[in-house]
Amino acid sequence: MQNYLNNLKNQQLISDNLTLILNAIIKSGVEISTLLENAGIGNQNILGSAETENVQGETQKKLDVISNEIMQKNLLNLPCVAGIASEELDEPIINNNANLNGDSFFVLFDPLDGSSNIDINAPVGTIFSVLKNYKNNAKEISEQDFLQAGNQQVMAGYLMYSSSTQLVFTLQNPNFGVNAFTLNKKTGEFLINKANFQIPQDTKEFAINASNQRFWQPQIQEYFAELLQGTQGKRQKDFNMRWLAAMVADVHRVLSRGGVFLYPQDSKMQKKGLGGKLRLMYEANPMALLIKNAGGRAINGKENILDVTPEKLHQRIPVILGSKNEIDYIQEKFA
Ligand code: AHG
Ligand code: MN
Ligand code: MN
């Protein structure tokens, strides 16, 4: 990994500061994966609910809180991090130790994605998004400075804690592509295991939590009915379904072999005044950049997720992403 990053630096594809940020995220990922691995043996007091709620009204797991603390500690140690924002923090934190004279950045993250999977030893992950800070005085930085559209992200990615721990990341420059690295537990090194993901344009695999069907928008109802009709309907092919209940794992599958992942808007969330289930800044934007740089697409229905101007940090949004032709097909239903 370090040789790989040095090569990128030599080619001027990645700056020193972004490398430092990536290394702080990697360090956090190794700490989180070790905690997860050992949670069932001797350290069981880190499993289960923290009996607190995050700003979004969701009950936090102890490991949501601990993972957040790990990311916070490692990132705020870096002078090039101007501030952080997290799904588990009510407000962004401005870094008092930051040096804002050179290039500095905001790091936004979902410290533990798919946390309902923790207690059943199923895949979870950490998702991150990096934006540039344009202010050189810490006192002037506010939440507003974090509210940049996804197409402004300079780096995005995730760590996935599953049968192996993998890092997948991309940079703003689409020529960089999307690459995956696997943690060698013996040496602590990440080794490249997949260069340049290319999502197949067509697919026969979808992922959606179908228990919400009766609450979906009509466009999604119609699309889903067509999928279920298979060869007997207008799609003229049979589809298969997967749902891992962790966006990281579902997106990893889509990057690896294509597919479509949907968490559409539904009337239950609308009643609560929420724009969707998934978070724009911590989940939708970083995943949308990865999917785009691997040749896929990510929309909220009508628009590309990466073009959405955020209105607030904890904003939620419908997410429909994956194989290009499938997303084009769905988007036409919203026209
Ligand atoms: P988080 O654990 O960070 O709150 O995110 C969970 C998200 C996402 O990862 C996953 O795709 C989805 O919620 C699962 O939702 P259901 O519980 O409705 O299946
Ligand atoms: Mn999540
Ligand atoms: Mn989370």
Side-chain angles (χ1 to χ4, degrees), residues 5-250:
L5 290 176
N6 284 336
N7 270 337
L8 292 185
K9 277 203 257 180
N10 292 339
Q11 293 171 58
Q12 297 189 335
L13 277 168
I14 192 167
S15 66
D16 287 351
N17 284 342
L18 278 185
T19 312
L20 289 171
I21 291 173
L22 190 60
N23 276 324
I25 293 168
I26 290 173
K27 182 171 187 283
S28 309
V30 174
E31 288 181 44
I32 295 168
S33 79
T34 307
L35 278 175
L36 289 166
E37 267 175 25
N38 297 306
I41 42 171
N43 201 5
Q44 284 166 357
N45 60 346
I46 63 168
L47 289 174
S49 164
E51 278 155 28
T52 49
E53 277 189 358
N54 63 18
V55 64
Q56 343 214 5
E58 299 163 326
T59 305
Q60 292 173 303
K61 300 267 182 186
K62 287 182 193 163
L63 274 161
D64 285 324
V65 177
I66 299 169
S67 305
N68 186 73
E69 283 165 0
I70 292 173
M71 289 285 282
Q72 179 172 329
K73 171 195 76 184
N74 288 329
L75 287 165
L76 293 181
N77 233 346
L78 295 178
C80 63
V81 171
I84 60 167
S86 158
E87 181 181 298
E88 306 300 344
L89 292 170
D90 296 5
E91 309 276 343
I93 300 181
I94 309 304
N95 188 4
N96 293 327
N97 305 317
N99 171 3
L100 304 180
N101 294 323
D103 276 351
S104 67
F105 300 90
F106 300 122
V107 186
L108 299 87
F109 51 90
D110 174 357
L112 208 52
D113 173 66
S115 46
S116 73
N117 280 353
I118 299 169
D119 295 346
I120 59 163
N121 197 27
V124 291
T126 300
I127 312 174
F128 60 91
S129 159
V130 184
L131 296 164
K132 215 166 154 9
N133 163 44
Y134 295 98
K135 300 261 169 81
N136 55 16
N137 181 345
K139 289 206 180 79
E140 286 174 12
I141 299 175
S142 69
E143 176 171 332
Q144 195 58 37
D145 297 297
F146 288 73
L147 300 182
Q148 303 175 30
N151 53 31
Q152 306 263 75
Q153 292 171 105
V154 291
M155 184 163 72
Y158 59 80
L159 282 133
M160 176 171 164
Y161 316 110
S162 187
S163 23
S164 66
T165 291
Q166 294 199 10
L167 166 76
V168 176
F169 82 102
T170 194
L171 300 171
Q172 191 168 36
N173 178 350
N175 298 332
F176 175 74
V178 181
N179 304 298
F181 303 80
T182 300
L183 174 63
N184 177 337
K185 284 272 156 84
K186 287 200 182 107
T187 61
E189 251 293 272
F190 278 82
L191 303 172
I192 190 151
N193 73 297
K194 172 80 190 169
N196 209 11
F197 279 106
Q198 289 297 324
I199 302 174
Q201 300 209 328
D202 292 295
T203 186
K204 292 169 123 185
E205 198 161 59
F206 68 90
I208 192 164
N209 183 343
S211 68
N212 296 319
Q213 182 184 3
R214 66 192 183 283
F215 305 112
W216 292 337
Q217 302 145 289
Q219 294 90 337
I220 301 294
Q221 297 277 6
E222 185 186 287
Y223 174 65
F224 186 66
E226 291 170 9
L227 297 180
L228 296 192
Q229 282 156 8
T231 47
Q232 291 168 15
K234 68 187 280 198
R235 298 307 303 276
Q236 303 270 298
K237 57 181 178 180
D238 287 330
F239 283 79
N240 190 18
M241 197 199 87
R242 290 286 183 267
W243 184 252
L244 293 163
M247 188 191 198
V248 159
D250 280 312

